[in-house]
Amino acid sequence: MDRFEALRIFRAVAEHQSFTRAAEALYLQRSTLSTQIKALEQRLQVQLLYRTTRRVSLTPEGQQFYQHCLQVLEALDTAEHLFQREHQGVRGRLRVDMTLSLAERVVIPELPAFLAAYPELQVELSTADRHLDLIQAGIDCAIRAGQGHESGLASQLLGTMPLINCVSPAYIDRYGLPENPQALQAHYLVNYVQAFGAAPEAFEYWDGERYCEVKMPHLITVDSVGAYKKACVAGLGICQIPLMGVRTELQTGQLIEVLAAYQAQPMPLRWVFPYAQTLPQRVQVFMDWFAPLLRKHQA
């Protein structure tokens, strides 16, 4: 078995985190994969994988090697299909991570047309609220909302999402309508955190010169975007949420915009992907397709 095949086996084991699942995906014997990985580690003189009875994971050296492995295999795949038509060269598995709201409202309804244009591409769509380890999960690219830099990952600004202040009619019936930021001390904010125990959120607004924050009490803390919106609809507090995610609720009257003159800073939307000298073609075509699609939904 040649070195390139050994790299493909290593990539499969790393991404599936299992010799058995990788063997099934490659239609090879599990013993073949184990032998090839051992030979690869001996040749490199380094341990690439942690092995337990339940799972397989990358060592720090394995993570570093995995990145180089992706570049080598992508370059080989590009070379092998260099003279094929453009769409024929886009093939394989594309694994993307994004919020459930983006997936449901923007991507999935338009995905049939994208896959019709690239029939040899298979899309795997992750919608976990928590930030996945892209390398460990074998994610090709992710769409992240908010600021921040993740170690070992490249980042590229995609755009921004305007935020809107919302409450439900039930909330207004019980607590009244806030008319200015000074009145917010008598109101509640739905508290969103990525991890329980984190510092509570504050209400943010532009005062004409700078962005300010108002610390507010909260009745509930949630760690998912879906629960955040549902808590607001249930009357548990004010939320500051992307307009694109609540258009339906605003149209049906489940949510009402408040404090329209006091908007939070638009939320940055970023592409995030493992460092590489060049993006795989399958990732680039998805990024090129998604960017104008997002602008259309924001209009």
Side-chain angles (χ1 to χ4, degrees), residues 174-193:
R174 185 169 184 180
Y175 299 105
L177 186 68
E179 297 182 353
N180 54 58
Q182 292 70 37
L184 290 176
Q185 295 294 343
H187 288 270
Y188 294 98
L189 188 71
V190 178
N191 188 39
Y192 173 82
V193 295

Side-chain angles (χ1 to χ4, degrees), residues 107-293:
V107 174
I108 293 176
E110 305 285 349
L111 203 54
F114 176 75
L115 292 176
Y118 302 101
E120 295 187 76
L121 198 61
Q122 299 86 44
V123 174
E124 295 183 3
L125 195 57
S126 168
T127 57
D129 268 316
R130 66 189 185 284
H131 280 194
L132 297 175
D133 183 325
L134 300 195
I135 296 174
Q136 191 71 30
I139 302 293
D140 291 301
C141 65
I143 301 172
R144 296 278 197 256
Q147 303 286 355
H149 173 75
E150 299 174 58
S151 178
L153 301 177
S155 179
Q156 178 181 320
L157 184 65
L158 172 61
T160 59
M161 294 189 296
L163 301 181
I164 186 172
N165 307 316
C166 294
V167 295
S168 70
Y171 180 90
I172 295 175
D173 289 343
R174 185 169 184 180
Y175 299 105
L177 186 68
E179 297 182 353
N180 54 58
Q182 292 70 37
L184 290 176
Q185 295 294 343
H187 288 270
Y188 294 98
L189 188 71
V190 178
N191 188 39
Y192 173 82
V193 295
Q194 290 188 354
F196 289 116
E201 292 289 310
F203 183 93
E204 182 184 85
Y205 69 97
W206 176 255
D207 71 351
E209 296 182 356
R210 60 190 177 90
Y211 284 103
C212 306
E213 289 188 345
V214 177
K215 301 292 185 182
M216 293 177 61
H218 55 270
L219 298 170
I220 185 172
T221 297
V222 298
D223 66 349
S224 78
V225 175
Y228 182 65
K229 183 169 67 174
K230 288 185 180 299
C232 188
V233 171
L236 293 171
I238 300 170
C239 71
Q240 295 189 287
I241 194 167
L243 172 60
M244 184 175 61
V246 292
R247 279 204 173 97
T248 300
E249 289 75 15
L250 291 170
Q251 291 169 357
T252 60
Q254 291 179 283
L255 292 176
I256 299 170
E257 182 180 10
V258 296
L259 299 170
Y262 302 96
Q263 297 296 322
Q265 185 174 5
M267 183 178 293
L269 207 59
R270 299 171 293 118
W271 288 112
V272 180
F273 37 83
Y275 275 114
Q277 293 180 348
T278 58
L279 282 173
Q281 190 179 12
R282 64 183 183 278
V283 177
Q284 190 64 62
V285 296
F286 181 81
M287 292 172 63
D288 292 343
W289 170 78
F290 179 81
L293 186 63

Side-chain angles (χ1 to χ4, degrees), residues 92-114:
R93 183 219 69 190
L94 173 66
R95 188 174 291 172
V96 186
D97 180 56
M98 65 182 65
T99 65
L100 180 61
S101 178
L102 278 177
E104 288 183 338
R105 296 174 183 268
V106 180
V107 174
I108 293 176
E110 305 285 349
L111 203 54
F114 176 75

